[in-house]
Amino acid sequence: MSGELQAGDTIPSMRALARSIHVSVITVQKAYEDLQRDGFIETTVGRGSFVSARNKEFYQEEQQRIAEEHLQAAAEIGRVNNISLEKLTELLTLFYQEDE
C-alpha cells in the first residue's frame, strides 16, 4: 500500500515468511490466499508469489470510497448548518493544496 513494493516484486515463500515471523505455515497460506483473492499478489506454481499490478488500482478505489464517505458527511454538515457549497469547495481546495 505504501508503494514500497512494486508490481512484479517477489514476496517470500510461505515457509520462509512463517519461519521469519514465527507463525504457522497454514496461517501464512490463508493470508496469501486472501491477498491473491483480493488481487494484491499473484502466485505461480514453481515460480512463487509476486506483487500484482492490480493492487494499486484496488487501493486507489478503496481510498476514493473513503474520501467519498467523508465528503458526503461534510456536505451533510454544510447543508444542516447553512454553509454554502462555495465555502465548502473553497475549504476542500485549500486542504487539498496545503502540502503543495
Side-chain angles (χ1 to χ4, degrees):
M1 296 291 188
S2 69
E4 184 177 336
L5 300 175
Q6 300 300 313
D9 284 354
T10 304
I11 60 173
S13 71
M14 287 184 241
R15 286 189 182 121
L17 182 58
R19 213 173 314 131
S20 71
I21 61 173
H22 308 290
V23 298
S24 164
V25 173
I26 294 170
T27 301
V28 175
Q29 179 182 14
K30 288 178 184 177
Y32 275 33
E33 287 170 357
D34 289 346
L35 289 168
Q36 187 167 352
R37 182 193 65 239
D38 291 341
F40 287 101
I41 65 171
E42 298 171 1
T43 302
T44 306
V45 177
R47 289 193 59 226
S49 297
F50 305 87
V51 176
S52 173
R54 298 182 306 173
N55 67 346
K56 186 174 184 179
E57 293 169 13
F58 177 85
Y59 177 72
Q60 204 165 22
E61 287 176 18
E62 181 66 14
Q63 294 305 302
Q64 181 176 328
R65 184 190 63 74
I66 293 168
E68 288 171 0
E69 290 175 3
H70 289 286
L71 289 170
Q72 185 176 13
E76 182 65 21
I77 291 168
R79 277 192 299 273
V80 168
N81 295 289
N82 296 317
I83 302 169
S84 71
L85 177 59
E86 291 77 21
K87 185 63 175 177
L88 290 175
T89 303
E90 179 185 325
L91 288 168
L92 177 60
T93 302
L94 179 71
F95 294 141
Y96 192 87
Q97 295 173 344
E98 199 170 63
D99 292 333
E100 289 183 353

